[in-house]
Amino acid sequence: MSAARGADLHAAVIRDHFLHPRHRGALDGPAATGHAHNAHCGDTVRISVRVEDGVLAEVAFDGRGCTISQAAASMVAKVVAGRPTDSVAALRSAFTEGLASDAPELPEALGDLRALVGVRRFPSRVRCAVLPFEALAAALKEETICNDNR
């Protein structure tokens, strides 16, 4: 596949997640919620999770910001839904390390998040792409604290 065709495909995936977000909204009932804000550009992402037996049974996001941050939130929610909570740190590391490296592609386990590989050329936009993982980490931390206090 040519580089131009690959870039067009990536742009189409990003646009699709922005215009037709997956898992956007709020979860009913008690759920742990994490929030992340990019003070540089004003983007915000809030992710809510419901964990059952160590698995992300439900994931939802809401937020406001650029195409990158909001599409990334949709992609993160889609990728992590149904996965064990202990797999999230590895996914986050693979994503952030992949955006910081010269590797031609991100790992397949990242699903649609691989379409964001082009943001590595724009360091100020990398923060927009990783914002949803920061919100998710905060939600999982809150969920752990709540479970420890029960």
Side-chain angles (χ1 to χ4, degrees):
M1 176 179 345
S2 73
R5 181 158 157 67
D8 289 345
L9 179 59
H10 288 168
V13 171
I14 294 166
R15 188 173 32 260
D16 182 55
H17 273 275
F18 179 72
L19 295 174
H20 309 287
R22 284 60 154 186
H23 301 273
R24 185 173 196 106
L27 297 180
D28 291 331
T33 301
H35 177 263
H37 176 74
N38 185 346
H40 178 71
C41 65
D43 290 358
T44 62
V45 174
R46 181 179 327 276
I47 292 189
S48 299
V49 297
R50 183 165 297 108
V51 177
E52 295 174 5
D53 298 323
V55 172
L56 287 158
E58 291 185 86
V59 181
F61 85 94
D62 198 1
R64 224 178 56 216
C66 70
T67 301
I68 298 298
S69 71
Q70 300 307 293
S74 173
M75 293 173 187
V76 166
K78 180 181 175 189
V79 165
V80 302
R83 289 189 185 243
T85 57
D86 60 7
S87 70
V88 172
L91 291 170
R92 179 182 180 178
S93 291
F95 185 60
T96 56
E97 290 170 14
L99 293 182
S101 74
D102 292 335
E105 292 184 14
L106 297 174
E108 195 170 316
L110 293 171
D112 287 350
L113 283 163
R114 294 176 299 159
L116 293 167
V117 69
V119 303
R120 68 167 62 134
R121 295 186 324 248
F122 309 98
S124 65
R125 302 308 299 269
V126 169
R127 175 89 166 97
C128 301
V130 300
L131 201 63
F133 270 116
E134 292 177 19
L136 178 58
L140 290 174
K141 183 177 179 180
E142 177 185 310
E143 198 277 333
T144 301
I145 291 169
C146 290
N147 278 339
D148 289 347
N149 291 330
R150 289 183 190 156

